[in-house]
Amino acid sequence: MQRTAVFPGSFDPITRGHENVIIRSIPLFERIIIGIGDNAEKRSMFPIEQRLSWIRETFKDYPTVTAEVYRGLTVDFCRKVDSAFIIRGLRTAADFEFERSIGQVNRKLLPGIETIFILSLPEYTALNSSIVRDIIRHGGDPSSFIPESLQGVITNKEAGRGK
Ligand code: ADP
């Protein structure tokens, strides 16, 4: 069995913070699957197919990184793709508290699953998708917050078509 990890999230849209966590995880795993959780309760700004294609574009030169959409529990997705690891990024103490409970519950649901935390780079600690959405919504320039390969690609045009 390959050492596989899932990096779950909403990626609405993907930011340099996400990109950095994934790139730094590449040496740790033979395969990384970015799982875009399709959460019916959560309204998104960008349609899920659009978020998926931006992620695929970002990692097109990294053959061990793939992306797919999943519905339901993250642990069920991990079971389906044969992954014993979940990667999460940690920016702040608030992230840690939130992630600790999710990680502990996930281990109850799927014994043996390990959550691996990657510390955010200082320059990305204040960055999240919601800030990027606000910038885009109000016509600002998000270029320093989104991956290099998506410069000029993530714009307001695709916005508002999410659920
Ligand atoms: P969620 O919908 O679960 O909040 P996100 O897409 O916002 O998902 O984030 C997915 C993962 O990426 C989380 O572990 C989050 O902590 C991490 N993350 C988000 N932004 C950053 C960042 N700027 N630096 C490091 N990790 C980040």
Side-chain angles (χ1 to χ4, degrees):
M1 193 175 95
Q2 279 187 313
R3 198 166 60 247
T4 301
V6 164
F7 183 63
S10 313
F11 308 102
D12 187 32
I14 182 164
T15 69
R16 286 193 189 197
H18 299 127
E19 179 189 31
N20 180 260
V21 166
I22 294 161
I23 288 173
R24 288 162 59 207
S25 303
I26 288 174
L28 305 176
F29 299 100
E30 289 165 281
R31 192 166 68 120
I32 295 175
I33 302 169
I34 303 169
I36 312 176
D38 190 7
N39 184 345
E41 316 268 271
K42 214 167 162 180
R43 272 191 79 83
S44 61
M45 182 167 179
F46 296 106
I48 205 150
E49 288 305 324
Q50 181 67 81
R51 285 179 268 153
L52 178 64
S53 94
W54 284 334
I55 292 174
R56 288 185 171 154
E57 176 62 24
T58 304
F59 294 99
K60 63 177 187 310
D61 296 328
Y62 297 91
T64 60
V65 180
T66 59
E68 51 188 284
V69 171
Y70 72 96
R71 291 178 187 81
L73 294 174
T74 301
V75 287
D76 289 336
F77 180 59
C78 290
R79 244 189 226 111
K80 185 183 137 209
V81 297
D82 241 337
S83 168
F85 301 94
I86 295 174
I87 303 167
R88 299 290 285 177
L90 278 187
R91 286 161 291 189
T92 59
D95 265 2
F96 171 73
E97 280 305 326
F98 180 71
E99 296 295 343
R100 182 175 56 79
S101 57
I102 297 181
Q104 288 170 342
V105 168
N106 279 341
R107 221 181 137 84
K108 279 273 178 217
L109 295 173
L110 181 57
I113 191 95
E114 290 292 358
T115 305
I116 307 295
F117 296 108
I118 302 287
L119 281 185
S120 169
L121 290 187
E123 59 265 43
Y124 299 140
T125 296
L127 178 56
N128 60 54
S129 295
S130 132
I131 289 174
V132 174
R133 289 197 297 275
D134 268 353
I135 295 171
I136 295 170
R137 196 175 283 124
H138 299 294
D141 175 13
S143 54
S144 39
F145 306 114
I146 59 180
E148 201 78 55
S149 58
L150 299 177
Q151 300 301 315
V153 172
I154 300 188
T155 66
N156 227 341
K157 276 203 314 285
E158 303 82 4
R161 295 192 288 119
K163 287 188 294 156

